[in-house]
Amino acid sequence: MLQMKLCGDLVLREKCEPITEITPEVLDILEEMVAMMRNQNGVGLAAPQVGQLKRFLVMMDPESEQVFKMINPKILTRSSELCTMEEGCLSVLGADNLPVYANVTRPQSVDVEWTDESGTLLQAKMSGLPARIVQHETDHLDGILFIDYLSPVRREMLMRKVRKHKK
């Protein structure tokens, strides 16, 4: 049974290793991650958030509800057009045990390449919310959290809420 890692756990700051073989264990973890993501009303979950230091993630397009299981995802290009939207994270919780949110500016669209669970190499152009989600989740694979994009003052305000959760 996988367990959600929370802000402060050092595993969230590690750079993940590429997957070299799609094993039954990897497929089982991906399935469990989809269930966890849905259970917690999330739209994405990366391997380090469940203690796995491997390059894979799951995400859902909130409009179509299509789920993507991405192994070794790579953002190939990012648009120069930027967009600011509110972001939260299942690993960054406040006192109410719900994600805390902050505005983050990211590229509006990205080209992404990944391997699916059957071993097929796929590529897609994503924009809007799916682009934001895949950027947020691939950041996790490099030990980056959305709070790292905030100004020091805004980050400290948000982290006060997170510290209240830990008490």
Short mmCIF file of all heavy atoms in Angstrom, two decimals, residues 15-84:
data_model
loop_
_atom_site.label_atom_id
_atom_site.label_comp_id
_atom_site.label_asym_id
_atom_site.label_seq_id
_atom_site.Cartn_x
_atom_site.Cartn_y
_atom_site.Cartn_z
N LYS A 15 16.00 13.83 -7.14
CA LYS A 15 15.83 13.68 -8.60
C LYS A 15 15.61 12.20 -8.87
O LYS A 15 16.34 11.35 -8.36
CB LYS A 15 17.08 14.19 -9.31
CG LYS A 15 16.89 14.37 -10.79
CD LYS A 15 18.07 15.11 -11.39
CE LYS A 15 18.03 15.17 -12.88
NZ LYS A 15 17.04 16.04 -13.44
N CYS A 16 14.59 11.88 -9.64
CA CYS A 16 14.22 10.49 -9.89
C CYS A 16 15.02 9.86 -11.02
O CYS A 16 15.43 10.54 -11.96
CB CYS A 16 12.73 10.42 -10.22
SG CYS A 16 11.70 10.92 -8.84
N GLU A 17 15.19 8.55 -10.92
CA GLU A 17 15.90 7.76 -11.93
C GLU A 17 14.94 7.31 -13.03
O GLU A 17 13.79 6.98 -12.75
CB GLU A 17 16.48 6.50 -11.27
CG GLU A 17 17.56 6.77 -10.24
CD GLU A 17 18.83 7.31 -10.86
OE1 GLU A 17 19.24 6.80 -11.92
OE2 GLU A 17 19.40 8.25 -10.28
N PRO A 18 15.41 7.26 -14.29
CA PRO A 18 14.55 6.77 -15.37
C PRO A 18 14.17 5.30 -15.16
O PRO A 18 14.91 4.54 -14.54
CB PRO A 18 15.42 6.91 -16.62
CG PRO A 18 16.52 7.84 -16.25
CD PRO A 18 16.72 7.70 -14.76
N ILE A 19 13.03 4.95 -15.68
CA ILE A 19 12.57 3.55 -15.69
C ILE A 19 13.25 2.87 -16.87
O ILE A 19 13.18 3.37 -18.00
CB ILE A 19 11.03 3.49 -15.86
CG1 ILE A 19 10.31 4.09 -14.66
CG2 ILE A 19 10.56 2.08 -16.16
CD1 ILE A 19 10.26 3.21 -13.45
N THR A 20 13.91 1.76 -16.62
CA THR A 20 14.59 1.04 -17.70
C THR A 20 13.77 -0.15 -18.18
O THR A 20 13.99 -0.66 -19.28
CB THR A 20 15.98 0.56 -17.24
OG1 THR A 20 15.82 -0.20 -16.04
CG2 THR A 20 16.91 1.74 -16.98
N GLU A 21 12.83 -0.61 -17.33
CA GLU A 21 12.00 -1.76 -17.70
C GLU A 21 10.62 -1.58 -17.08
O GLU A 21 10.50 -1.24 -15.89
CB GLU A 21 12.65 -3.04 -17.17
CG GLU A 21 11.90 -4.29 -17.53
CD GLU A 21 12.51 -5.53 -16.88
OE1 GLU A 21 13.50 -5.42 -16.15
OE2 GLU A 21 11.95 -6.62 -17.10
N ILE A 22 9.59 -1.79 -17.86
CA ILE A 22 8.22 -1.68 -17.35
C ILE A 22 7.84 -3.03 -16.75
O ILE A 22 7.49 -3.97 -17.47
CB ILE A 22 7.24 -1.25 -18.46
CG1 ILE A 22 7.68 0.09 -19.06
CG2 ILE A 22 5.82 -1.16 -17.91
CD1 ILE A 22 6.91 0.51 -20.29
N THR A 23 7.97 -3.11 -15.44
CA THR A 23 7.72 -4.37 -14.73
C THR A 23 6.28 -4.41 -14.21
O THR A 23 5.61 -3.36 -14.13
CB THR A 23 8.67 -4.48 -13.52
OG1 THR A 23 8.37 -3.41 -12.61
CG2 THR A 23 10.14 -4.41 -13.95
N PRO A 24 5.80 -5.60 -13.83
CA PRO A 24 4.47 -5.68 -13.21
C PRO A 24 4.36 -4.79 -11.96
O PRO A 24 3.30 -4.22 -11.71
CB PRO A 24 4.33 -7.16 -12.85
CG PRO A 24 5.22 -7.87 -13.83
CD PRO A 24 6.38 -6.93 -14.06
N GLU A 25 5.47 -4.64 -11.24
CA GLU A 25 5.47 -3.78 -10.05
C GLU A 25 5.20 -2.32 -10.43
O GLU A 25 4.39 -1.64 -9.79
CB GLU A 25 6.81 -3.89 -9.30
CG GLU A 25 6.83 -3.02 -8.05
CD GLU A 25 8.20 -2.89 -7.40
OE1 GLU A 25 9.23 -3.15 -8.09
OE2 GLU A 25 8.24 -2.50 -6.23
N VAL A 26 5.85 -1.85 -11.49
CA VAL A 26 5.63 -0.47 -11.96
C VAL A 26 4.18 -0.30 -12.37
O VAL A 26 3.53 0.69 -12.01
CB VAL A 26 6.59 -0.13 -13.14
CG1 VAL A 26 6.18 1.19 -13.81
CG2 VAL A 26 8.03 -0.04 -12.65
N LEU A 27 3.62 -1.26 -13.10
CA LEU A 27 2.23 -1.18 -13.54
C LEU A 27 1.27 -1.17 -12.35
O LEU A 27 0.28 -0.42 -12.35
CB LEU A 27 1.90 -2.34 -14.49
CG LEU A 27 2.69 -2.35 -15.80
CD1 LEU A 27 2.38 -3.62 -16.60
CD2 LEU A 27 2.42 -1.11 -16.63
N ASP A 28 1.57 -1.98 -11.33
CA ASP A 28 0.74 -1.99 -10.11
C ASP A 28 0.78 -0.65 -9.40
O ASP A 28 -0.24 -0.15 -8.93
CB ASP A 28 1.21 -3.09 -9.14
CG ASP A 28 0.86 -4.49 -9.63
OD1 ASP A 28 0.05 -4.63 -10.59
OD2 ASP A 28 1.41 -5.46 -9.06
N ILE A 29 1.98 -0.06 -9.30
CA ILE A 29 2.13 1.24 -8.64
C ILE A 29 1.36 2.31 -9.42
O ILE A 29 0.67 3.14 -8.82
CB ILE A 29 3.62 1.61 -8.47
CG1 ILE A 29 4.30 0.66 -7.48
CG2 ILE A 29 3.77 3.06 -7.99
CD1 ILE A 29 5.81 0.77 -7.44
N LEU A 30 1.45 2.28 -10.74
CA LEU A 30 0.71 3.24 -11.56
C LEU A 30 -0.80 3.13 -11.30
O LEU A 30 -1.49 4.14 -11.14
CB LEU A 30 0.99 3.03 -13.05
CG LEU A 30 2.34 3.57 -13.56
CD1 LEU A 30 2.66 2.99 -14.94
CD2 LEU A 30 2.34 5.09 -13.60
N GLU A 31 -1.31 1.90 -11.23
CA GLU A 31 -2.74 1.68 -10.96
C GLU A 31 -3.12 2.23 -9.59
O GLU A 31 -4.15 2.88 -9.44
CB GLU A 31 -3.08 0.19 -11.02
CG GLU A 31 -3.28 -0.35 -12.40
CD GLU A 31 -4.32 0.40 -13.21
OE1 GLU A 31 -5.44 0.63 -12.71
OE2 GLU A 31 -4.01 0.77 -14.36
N GLU A 32 -2.29 1.93 -8.60
CA GLU A 32 -2.57 2.41 -7.24
C GLU A 32 -2.51 3.94 -7.17
O GLU A 32 -3.30 4.57 -6.47
CB GLU A 32 -1.58 1.78 -6.25
CG GLU A 32 -2.05 1.90 -4.82
CD GLU A 32 -1.21 1.12 -3.82
OE1 GLU A 32 -0.53 0.16 -4.20
OE2 GLU A 32 -1.25 1.50 -2.63
N MET A 33 -1.59 4.52 -7.93
CA MET A 33 -1.48 5.99 -7.97
C MET A 33 -2.73 6.62 -8.59
O MET A 33 -3.19 7.66 -8.12
CB MET A 33 -0.22 6.41 -8.73
CG MET A 33 1.06 6.19 -7.95
SD MET A 33 2.55 6.46 -8.94
CE MET A 33 2.43 8.21 -9.34
N VAL A 34 -3.28 6.00 -9.63
CA VAL A 34 -4.51 6.52 -10.24
C VAL A 34 -5.63 6.50 -9.20
O VAL A 34 -6.36 7.49 -9.03
CB VAL A 34 -4.91 5.71 -11.50
CG1 VAL A 34 -6.31 6.09 -11.97
CG2 VAL A 34 -3.90 5.93 -12.62
N ALA A 35 -5.74 5.40 -8.45
CA ALA A 35 -6.77 5.28 -7.42
C ALA A 35 -6.58 6.35 -6.33
O ALA A 35 -7.54 6.99 -5.90
CB ALA A 35 -6.75 3.88 -6.82
N MET A 36 -5.32 6.55 -5.91
CA MET A 36 -5.03 7.57 -4.89
C MET A 36 -5.38 8.97 -5.40
O MET A 36 -5.98 9.77 -4.68
CB MET A 36 -3.54 7.54 -4.50
CG MET A 36 -3.15 6.39 -3.62
SD MET A 36 -1.37 6.37 -3.30
CE MET A 36 -1.25 7.58 -1.99
N MET A 37 -5.00 9.25 -6.64
CA MET A 37 -5.27 10.56 -7.23
C MET A 37 -6.78 10.83 -7.24
O MET A 37 -7.24 11.89 -6.81
CB MET A 37 -4.71 10.61 -8.66
CG MET A 37 -5.05 11.86 -9.44
SD MET A 37 -4.42 11.79 -11.14
CE MET A 37 -5.50 10.55 -11.88
N ARG A 38 -7.53 9.87 -7.69
CA ARG A 38 -8.99 10.02 -7.76
C ARG A 38 -9.59 10.14 -6.36
O ARG A 38 -10.48 10.96 -6.12
CB ARG A 38 -9.62 8.83 -8.49
CG ARG A 38 -9.37 8.84 -9.98
CD ARG A 38 -10.10 7.65 -10.62
NE ARG A 38 -9.71 7.41 -11.98
CZ ARG A 38 -10.30 7.94 -13.04
NH1 ARG A 38 -11.29 8.78 -12.90
NH2 ARG A 38 -9.89 7.63 -14.26
N ASN A 39 -9.12 9.30 -5.45
CA ASN A 39 -9.59 9.29 -4.06
C ASN A 39 -9.45 10.65 -3.40
O ASN A 39 -10.26 11.04 -2.58
CB ASN A 39 -8.75 8.29 -3.27
CG ASN A 39 -9.59 7.24 -2.62
OD1 ASN A 39 -10.77 7.11 -2.92
ND2 ASN A 39 -8.98 6.49 -1.73
N GLN A 40 -8.36 11.33 -3.72
CA GLN A 40 -8.07 12.61 -3.08
C GLN A 40 -8.47 13.80 -3.96
O GLN A 40 -8.04 14.92 -3.72
CB GLN A 40 -6.59 12.66 -2.70
CG GLN A 40 -6.26 11.58 -1.68
CD GLN A 40 -4.86 11.69 -1.14
OE1 GLN A 40 -4.29 12.76 -1.05
NE2 GLN A 40 -4.28 10.55 -0.79
N ASN A 41 -9.28 13.52 -4.98
CA ASN A 41 -9.76 14.56 -5.90
C ASN A 41 -8.62 15.35 -6.54
O ASN A 41 -8.74 16.55 -6.76
CB ASN A 41 -10.74 15.51 -5.18
CG ASN A 41 -11.97 14.79 -4.73
OD1 ASN A 41 -12.53 13.99 -5.47
ND2 ASN A 41 -12.39 15.03 -3.51
N GLY A 42 -7.52 14.66 -6.81
CA GLY A 42 -6.39 15.30 -7.46
C GLY A 42 -6.47 15.12 -8.97
O GLY A 42 -7.32 14.38 -9.48
N VAL A 43 -5.58 15.81 -9.67
CA VAL A 43 -5.52 15.69 -11.13
C VAL A 43 -4.15 15.18 -11.57
O VAL A 43 -3.90 15.01 -12.76
CB VAL A 43 -5.85 17.02 -11.84
CG1 VAL A 43 -7.33 17.35 -11.69
CG2 VAL A 43 -4.98 18.15 -11.35
N GLY A 44 -3.26 14.93 -10.61
CA GLY A 44 -1.94 14.41 -10.94
C GLY A 44 -1.25 13.88 -9.70
O GLY A 44 -1.56 14.30 -8.58
N LEU A 45 -0.34 12.95 -9.93
CA LEU A 45 0.44 12.38 -8.83
C LEU A 45 1.73 11.83 -9.43
O LEU A 45 1.70 11.09 -10.42
CB LEU A 45 -0.37 11.25 -8.17
CG LEU A 45 0.07 10.73 -6.83
CD1 LEU A 45 0.12 11.83 -5.78
CD2 LEU A 45 -0.85 9.61 -6.37
N ALA A 46 2.84 12.23 -8.85
CA ALA A 46 4.15 11.78 -9.34
C ALA A 46 4.75 10.76 -8.37
O ALA A 46 4.46 10.77 -7.17
CB ALA A 46 5.09 12.97 -9.49
N ALA A 47 5.59 9.88 -8.91
CA ALA A 47 6.17 8.78 -8.13
C ALA A 47 6.78 9.19 -6.79
O ALA A 47 6.55 8.52 -5.79
CB ALA A 47 7.18 8.03 -9.00
N PRO A 48 7.56 10.30 -6.71
CA PRO A 48 8.15 10.62 -5.41
C PRO A 48 7.09 10.95 -4.34
O PRO A 48 7.36 10.79 -3.15
CB PRO A 48 9.05 11.83 -5.68
CG PRO A 48 8.80 12.24 -7.07
CD PRO A 48 8.05 11.17 -7.77
N GLN A 49 5.90 11.36 -4.77
CA GLN A 49 4.85 11.67 -3.80
C GLN A 49 4.36 10.43 -3.08
O GLN A 49 3.72 10.53 -2.04
CB GLN A 49 3.67 12.36 -4.50
CG GLN A 49 3.99 13.76 -4.97
CD GLN A 49 2.79 14.36 -5.65
OE1 GLN A 49 2.58 14.18 -6.83
NE2 GLN A 49 2.00 15.09 -4.88
N VAL A 50 4.67 9.25 -3.63
CA VAL A 50 4.33 8.00 -2.96
C VAL A 50 5.62 7.22 -2.62
O VAL A 50 5.60 6.01 -2.45
CB VAL A 50 3.35 7.15 -3.80
CG1 VAL A 50 2.00 7.85 -3.91
CG2 VAL A 50 3.91 6.82 -5.17
N GLY A 51 6.72 7.96 -2.52
CA GLY A 51 7.98 7.36 -2.05
C GLY A 51 8.78 6.61 -3.09
O GLY A 51 9.73 5.90 -2.74
N GLN A 52 8.44 6.73 -4.36
CA GLN A 52 9.16 6.02 -5.43
C GLN A 52 10.07 7.00 -6.15
O GLN A 52 9.60 7.98 -6.71
CB GLN A 52 8.16 5.43 -6.44
CG GLN A 52 7.12 4.53 -5.82
CD GLN A 52 7.72 3.25 -5.29
OE1 GLN A 52 8.49 2.58 -5.98
NE2 GLN A 52 7.36 2.89 -4.07
N LEU A 53 11.37 6.71 -6.17
CA LEU A 53 12.31 7.63 -6.83
C LEU A 53 12.57 7.20 -8.28
O LEU A 53 13.70 7.03 -8.71
CB LEU A 53 13.61 7.72 -6.03
CG LEU A 53 13.47 8.54 -4.74
CD1 LEU A 53 14.73 8.49 -3.91
CD2 LEU A 53 13.11 9.98 -5.07
N LYS A 54 11.48 7.03 -9.00
CA LYS A 54 11.53 6.65 -10.41
C LYS A 54 10.74 7.67 -11.21
O LYS A 54 9.82 8.30 -10.72
CB LYS A 54 10.92 5.26 -10.62
CG LYS A 54 11.70 4.15 -9.93
CD LYS A 54 13.01 3.91 -10.61
CE LYS A 54 13.78 2.75 -9.98
NZ LYS A 54 15.11 2.63 -10.53
N ARG A 55 11.07 7.79 -12.52
CA ARG A 55 10.46 8.81 -13.38
C ARG A 55 9.14 8.29 -13.99
O ARG A 55 9.11 7.83 -15.12
CB ARG A 55 11.43 9.24 -14.47
CG ARG A 55 12.65 9.96 -13.90
CD ARG A 55 13.47 10.62 -14.96
NE ARG A 55 12.92 11.89 -15.36
CZ ARG A 55 13.03 13.03 -14.67
NH1 ARG A 55 13.67 13.04 -13.52
NH2 ARG A 55 12.50 14.14 -15.13
N PHE A 56 8.08 8.38 -13.21
CA PHE A 56 6.76 8.12 -13.76
C PHE A 56 5.72 8.92 -12.98
O PHE A 56 5.96 9.34 -11.85
CB PHE A 56 6.41 6.63 -13.83
CG PHE A 56 6.44 5.88 -12.54
CD1 PHE A 56 5.30 5.80 -11.73
CD2 PHE A 56 7.58 5.20 -12.13
CE1 PHE A 56 5.31 5.08 -10.56
CE2 PHE A 56 7.60 4.48 -10.94
CZ PHE A 56 6.45 4.42 -10.15
N LEU A 57 4.58 9.13 -13.64
CA LEU A 57 3.52 9.92 -13.03
C LEU A 57 2.19 9.51 -13.62
O LEU A 57 2.13 8.84 -14.66
CB LEU A 57 3.76 11.42 -13.24
CG LEU A 57 3.82 11.94 -14.68
CD1 LEU A 57 2.43 12.33 -15.20
CD2 LEU A 57 4.74 13.15 -14.77
N VAL A 58 1.13 9.92 -12.95
CA VAL A 58 -0.21 9.78 -13.51
C VAL A 58 -0.85 11.17 -13.48
O VAL A 58 -0.55 11.99 -12.62
CB VAL A 58 -1.09 8.77 -12.73
CG1 VAL A 58 -0.48 7.37 -12.82
CG2 VAL A 58 -1.28 9.18 -11.28
N MET A 59 -1.68 11.43 -14.47
CA MET A 59 -2.39 12.70 -14.50
C MET A 59 -3.70 12.52 -15.25
O MET A 59 -3.87 11.55 -15.99
CB MET A 59 -1.55 13.80 -15.15
CG MET A 59 -1.22 13.57 -16.60
SD MET A 59 -0.48 15.00 -17.41
CE MET A 59 -1.94 15.95 -17.86
N MET A 60 -4.62 13.45 -14.98
CA MET A 60 -5.92 13.38 -15.62
C MET A 60 -6.24 14.74 -16.22
O MET A 60 -6.03 15.77 -15.59
CB MET A 60 -6.98 13.00 -14.59
CG MET A 60 -8.37 12.90 -15.17
SD MET A 60 -9.60 12.39 -13.96
CE MET A 60 -9.66 13.83 -12.91
N ASP A 61 -6.76 14.71 -17.45
CA ASP A 61 -7.29 15.93 -18.06
C ASP A 61 -8.66 16.14 -17.41
O ASP A 61 -9.57 15.34 -17.61
CB ASP A 61 -7.42 15.74 -19.57
CG ASP A 61 -8.00 16.97 -20.27
OD1 ASP A 61 -8.65 17.80 -19.60
OD2 ASP A 61 -7.81 17.08 -21.49
N PRO A 62 -8.82 17.22 -16.61
CA PRO A 62 -10.08 17.41 -15.89
C PRO A 62 -11.31 17.55 -16.80
O PRO A 62 -12.40 17.17 -16.40
CB PRO A 62 -9.86 18.71 -15.11
CG PRO A 62 -8.39 18.91 -15.08
CD PRO A 62 -7.85 18.25 -16.31
N GLU A 63 -11.13 18.04 -18.02
CA GLU A 63 -12.28 18.21 -18.91
C GLU A 63 -12.74 16.88 -19.51
O GLU A 63 -13.91 16.55 -19.47
CB GLU A 63 -11.95 19.22 -20.00
CG GLU A 63 -11.95 20.64 -19.47
CD GLU A 63 -11.70 21.67 -20.55
OE1 GLU A 63 -11.90 21.37 -21.74
OE2 GLU A 63 -11.31 22.79 -20.17
N SER A 64 -11.81 16.11 -20.06
CA SER A 64 -12.19 14.84 -20.70
C SER A 64 -12.15 13.67 -19.72
O SER A 64 -12.66 12.60 -20.02
CB SER A 64 -11.23 14.55 -21.86
OG SER A 64 -9.93 14.27 -21.37
N GLU A 65 -11.52 13.88 -18.57
CA GLU A 65 -11.28 12.84 -17.56
C GLU A 65 -10.40 11.71 -18.08
O GLU A 65 -10.34 10.64 -17.50
CB GLU A 65 -12.60 12.32 -16.98
CG GLU A 65 -13.34 13.39 -16.21
CD GLU A 65 -14.44 12.86 -15.30
OE1 GLU A 65 -14.59 11.63 -15.16
OE2 GLU A 65 -15.15 13.70 -14.73
N GLN A 66 -9.69 11.98 -19.18
CA GLN A 66 -8.72 11.00 -19.70
C GLN A 66 -7.55 10.93 -18.73
O GLN A 66 -7.00 11.95 -18.33
CB GLN A 66 -8.24 11.41 -21.08
CG GLN A 66 -7.23 10.44 -21.66
CD GLN A 66 -6.70 10.87 -23.03
OE1 GLN A 66 -7.05 11.92 -23.55
NE2 GLN A 66 -5.83 10.05 -23.59
N VAL A 67 -7.16 9.70 -18.39
CA VAL A 67 -6.02 9.49 -17.49
C VAL A 67 -4.80 9.12 -18.33
O VAL A 67 -4.88 8.31 -19.24
CB VAL A 67 -6.32 8.38 -16.46
CG1 VAL A 67 -5.08 8.01 -15.67
CG2 VAL A 67 -7.44 8.82 -15.52
N PHE A 68 -3.68 9.75 -18.00
CA PHE A 68 -2.40 9.45 -18.64
C PHE A 68 -1.49 8.80 -17.60
O PHE A 68 -1.35 9.32 -16.50
CB PHE A 68 -1.72 10.73 -19.14
CG PHE A 68 -2.49 11.48 -20.20
CD1 PHE A 68 -3.43 12.43 -19.85
CD2 PHE A 68 -2.25 11.22 -21.54
CE1 PHE A 68 -4.14 13.13 -20.82
CE2 PHE A 68 -2.95 11.91 -22.52
CZ PHE A 68 -3.90 12.86 -22.16
N LYS A 69 -0.90 7.67 -17.97
CA LYS A 69 0.13 7.04 -17.14
C LYS A 69 1.42 7.25 -17.92
O LYS A 69 1.62 6.64 -18.97
CB LYS A 69 -0.17 5.56 -16.94
CG LYS A 69 -1.45 5.31 -16.19
CD LYS A 69 -1.77 3.82 -16.18
CE LYS A 69 -3.14 3.58 -15.60
NZ LYS A 69 -3.57 2.20 -15.84
N MET A 70 2.27 8.13 -17.41
CA MET A 70 3.46 8.53 -18.15
C MET A 70 4.72 7.96 -17.50
O MET A 70 5.00 8.24 -16.34
CB MET A 70 3.56 10.05 -18.20
CG MET A 70 2.42 10.72 -18.92
SD MET A 70 2.68 12.51 -18.96
CE MET A 70 1.51 12.96 -20.22
N ILE A 71 5.46 7.21 -18.29
CA ILE A 71 6.74 6.66 -17.85
C ILE A 71 7.83 7.44 -18.56
O ILE A 71 7.76 7.65 -19.78
CB ILE A 71 6.82 5.15 -18.18
CG1 ILE A 71 5.70 4.41 -17.42
CG2 ILE A 71 8.20 4.59 -17.83
CD1 ILE A 71 5.47 2.98 -17.87
N ASN A 72 8.81 7.90 -17.81
CA ASN A 72 9.91 8.72 -18.33
C ASN A 72 9.41 9.91 -19.15
O ASN A 72 9.87 10.13 -20.29
CB ASN A 72 10.90 7.87 -19.16
CG ASN A 72 11.55 6.79 -18.33
OD1 ASN A 72 11.81 6.97 -17.14
ND2 ASN A 72 11.82 5.65 -18.93
N PRO A 73 8.46 10.69 -18.60
CA PRO A 73 7.96 11.84 -19.36
C PRO A 73 9.05 12.90 -19.52
O PRO A 73 9.90 13.07 -18.65
CB PRO A 73 6.82 12.37 -18.49
CG PRO A 73 7.20 11.96 -17.10
CD PRO A 73 7.90 10.64 -17.26
N LYS A 74 9.00 13.57 -20.67
CA LYS A 74 9.99 14.59 -20.97
C LYS A 74 9.28 15.74 -21.66
O LYS A 74 8.57 15.53 -22.64
CB LYS A 74 11.04 13.99 -21.91
CG LYS A 74 12.32 14.78 -22.01
CD LYS A 74 13.30 14.11 -22.95
CE LYS A 74 13.64 12.70 -22.48
NZ LYS A 74 14.37 11.91 -23.45
N ILE A 75 9.46 16.95 -21.14
CA ILE A 75 8.91 18.13 -21.82
C ILE A 75 9.92 18.55 -22.86
O ILE A 75 11.07 18.87 -22.54
CB ILE A 75 8.58 19.25 -20.81
CG1 ILE A 75 7.45 18.77 -19.90
CG2 ILE A 75 8.20 20.53 -21.55
CD1 ILE A 75 7.04 19.73 -18.82
N LEU A 76 9.51 18.49 -24.12
CA LEU A 76 10.41 18.79 -25.24
C LEU A 76 10.48 20.28 -25.53
O LEU A 76 11.56 20.81 -25.80
CB LEU A 76 9.95 18.03 -26.49
CG LEU A 76 9.82 16.51 -26.34
CD1 LEU A 76 9.20 15.91 -27.60
CD2 LEU A 76 11.17 15.88 -26.04
N THR A 77 9.34 20.94 -25.53
CA THR A 77 9.30 22.39 -25.76
C THR A 77 8.26 23.02 -24.86
O THR A 77 7.27 22.38 -24.48
CB THR A 77 8.96 22.74 -27.23
OG1 THR A 77 7.66 22.24 -27.53
CG2 THR A 77 9.97 22.16 -28.20
N ARG A 78 8.49 24.30 -24.55
CA ARG A 78 7.56 25.10 -23.73
C ARG A 78 7.25 26.37 -24.51
O ARG A 78 8.16 26.98 -25.07
CB ARG A 78 8.21 25.47 -22.40
CG ARG A 78 8.61 24.27 -21.55
CD ARG A 78 9.45 24.71 -20.33
NE ARG A 78 10.14 23.59 -19.73
CZ ARG A 78 9.66 22.87 -18.72
NH1 ARG A 78 8.50 23.18 -18.19
NH2 ARG A 78 10.34 21.86 -18.24
N SER A 79 5.99 26.77 -24.51
CA SER A 79 5.62 27.98 -25.23
C SER A 79 6.20 29.21 -24.53
O SER A 79 6.43 29.20 -23.32
CB SER A 79 4.10 28.11 -25.31
OG SER A 79 3.55 28.37 -24.04
N SER A 80 6.41 30.26 -25.30
CA SER A 80 6.88 31.52 -24.69
C SER A 80 5.70 32.24 -24.03
O SER A 80 5.89 33.06 -23.15
CB SER A 80 7.54 32.41 -25.75
OG SER A 80 6.64 32.63 -26.81
N GLU A 81 4.48 31.90 -24.46
CA GLU A 81 3.28 32.49 -23.86
C GLU A 81 3.09 31.89 -22.47
O GLU A 81 3.09 30.67 -22.30
CB GLU A 81 2.07 32.18 -24.73
CG GLU A 81 0.79 32.81 -24.26
CD GLU A 81 -0.41 32.40 -25.11
OE1 GLU A 81 -0.20 31.92 -26.24
OE2 GLU A 81 -1.52 32.56 -24.63
N LEU A 82 2.95 32.77 -21.47
CA LEU A 82 2.82 32.32 -20.09
C LEU A 82 1.38 32.47 -19.60
O LEU A 82 0.59 33.22 -20.17
CB LEU A 82 3.75 33.12 -19.18
CG LEU A 82 5.24 33.05 -19.53
CD1 LEU A 82 6.05 33.96 -18.61
CD2 LEU A 82 5.76 31.62 -19.45
N CYS A 83 1.08 31.74 -18.53
CA CYS A 83 -0.25 31.77 -17.94
C CYS A 83 -0.10 31.62 -16.43
O CYS A 83 0.69 30.79 -15.97
CB CYS A 83 -1.06 30.62 -18.52
SG CYS A 83 -2.69 30.44 -17.81
N THR A 84 -0.83 32.43 -15.67
CA THR A 84 -0.80 32.33 -14.22
C THR A 84 -2.11 31.71 -13.75
O THR A 84 -3.18 32.15 -14.13
CB THR A 84 -0.61 33.71 -13.57
OG1 THR A 84 0.63 34.26 -14.04
CG2 THR A 84 -0.57 33.61 -12.06
#
